[in-house]
Amino acid sequence: MKIADDWKDYKIIATSDGMKLENWNGVILLRPDPQVIWSGKDLYSFSGVNAVYHRSEKGGGAWEKRKDFPAEWTVSYNDLTFKIKPMGFKHTGLFPEQAVNWNALKRLICAAQSQKEVKVLNLFAYTGAASVACAKAGAKVTHVDAAKGMVERAGENARLSGVESGIRYIVDDCMKFVAREIRRGNKYDGIIMDPPSYGRGPNGEMWKIERDLFGFVQSCAKLLSDKPVFFLINSYTTGLQPAVLKNILTLALKDFNGETDAYEVGIATEEGIPLPCGASGLFTGEGYGQE
């Protein structure tokens, strides 16, 4: 497991009974986490909580906002700054455990820049943390997501980190965008994707990860430059094992020289245990170094 353990503006204080207690730069949130199937402290008795997310028996849920709860605020990770604004279904707009991948991508981009300008495609790109990290390292990033609101949030994160000129934003269905880019003959040195388990595009296009992921990665491989720097797949909600992601990358990228790694992703807690947060598969092109 690769563990994000060097945050200063974010901490998991405690975990218990399906919940995690977090400190987001001084704002304390209590949110559900499906991985927390153990018991510990009574987190609801913690006196400093600013907001609690309660699940509904009918699906979804809502935030219980308490005293001094800001509508939005920022957190920083090294030279990156992100807007935090709690949304529906417990989300805040940032997945802090992904810092392990931001670090890896920044290193790879910096290593490749002595050879060429690095172009990166970020698909299902959400609020753009990975886009911002890559742009901060000097890459030219194309950011694609079907949700206009999330793309707007990505633009805010880019401005907060001072990299707005390094990112191009596209509101579109990712599969349709990739098909058009193949027809145009465009190429990228790095590709990132964080696909949902199930979803629909802006015109009703249906996505099912078990059915569509491998073929989509094969299509994306057609967009890679002759000497690609990386290809990263993240899996948060699907429960796919790291070995599955490694197999997909190994088979889909068999025509490219490089190494493929796959690993669980987690984040450190003040309890001294890591909280599992999904899996990633990372292909690193030959000549750019593998951690």
Side-chain angles (χ1 to χ4, degrees):
M1 178 184 287
K2 293 190 177 183
I3 300 171
D5 58 4
D6 58 346
W7 275 91
K8 294 181 174 60
D9 278 5
Y10 174 82
K11 295 179 181 179
I12 296 180
I13 301 167
T15 57
S16 180
D17 297 313
M19 304 291 287
K20 59 185 174 185
L21 185 66
E22 308 163 291
N23 184 331
W24 294 80
N25 196 18
V27 180
I28 310 300
L29 302 182
L30 181 57
R31 295 192 293 160
D33 192 296
Q35 299 293 331
V36 183
I37 62 172
W38 51 86
S39 296
K41 298 178 181 177
D42 177 11
L43 302 186
Y44 289 94
S45 66
F46 192 85
S47 61
V49 177
N50 298 104
V52 180
Y53 188 87
H54 297 285
R55 289 194 183 279
S56 169
E57 293 180 357
K58 299 179 181 179
W63 287 96
E64 174 199 343
K65 300 175 182 179
R66 299 182 177 179
K67 184 179 178 182
D68 300 325
F69 181 63
E72 58 186 63
W73 66 101
T74 63
V75 300
S76 293
Y77 178 78
N78 296 331
D79 57 352
L80 309 175
T81 300
F82 305 108
K83 175 181 174 180
I84 303 302
K85 183 178 181 181
M87 302 176 288
F89 198 64
K90 76 177 181 177
H91 292 305
T92 64
L94 188 69
F95 294 96
E97 69 277 358
Q98 285 299 314
V100 296
N101 286 324
W102 307 336
N103 293 342
L105 299 184
K106 290 178 75 175
R107 284 193 296 268
L108 289 168
I109 290 166
C110 289
Q113 282 181 322
S114 62
Q115 303 178 36
K116 58 182 175 180
E117 180 181 74
V118 179
K119 294 176 59 181
V120 173
L121 175 61
N122 189 7
L123 300 166
F124 310 100
Y126 194 49
T127 58
S131 297
V132 170
C134 291
K136 197 71 172 181
K140 297 297 183 183
V141 182
T142 298
H143 173 108
V144 186
D145 197 281
K148 182 179 179 181
M150 296 301 99
V151 174
E152 291 172 350
R153 283 278 294 272
E156 294 181 59
N157 286 331
R159 287 189 289 275
L160 286 169
S161 292
V163 294
E164 56 267 42
S165 63
I167 304 174
R168 178 172 67 118
Y169 304 97
I170 307 291
V171 179
D172 202 354
D173 173 75
C174 289
M175 297 180 78
K176 288 188 174 182
F177 177 80
V178 166
R180 287 199 306 273
E181 288 291 88
I182 292 170
R183 291 195 296 270
R184 292 167 181 152
N186 288 334
K187 297 292 183 180
Y188 296 89
D189 303 295
I191 295 177
I192 306 163
M193 65 170 67
D194 193 351
S197 55
Y198 174 85
R200 289 186 180 274
N203 297 313
E205 304 89 348
M206 184 178 292
W207 164 274
K208 291 185 178 180
I209 195 166
E210 295 87 352
R211 180 190 67 193
D212 297 323
L213 181 59
F214 180 63
F216 187 54
V217 174
Q218 286 182 308
S219 294
C220 290
K222 298 176 183 177
L223 295 178
L224 289 172
S225 59
D226 291 339
K227 193 178 178 185
V229 180
F230 63 81
F231 196 126
L232 173 68
I233 305 175
N234 290 312
S235 175
Y236 172 68
T237 61
T238 63
L240 295 180
Q241 297 297 316
V244 173
L245 302 180
K246 183 172 184 176
N247 290 346
I248 288 172
L249 287 170
T250 299
L251 294 170
L253 306 185
K254 62 182 185 299
D255 294 332
F256 297 94
N257 295 324
E259 300 179 21
T260 299
D261 188 18
Y263 42 88
E264 283 188 89
V265 175
I267 192 157
T269 74
E270 293 192 335
E271 299 166 309
I273 58 173
L275 179 63
C277 301
S280 294
L282 177 62
F283 168 86
T284 301
E286 187 176 55
Y288 300 115
Q290 179 100 3
E291 188 183 11

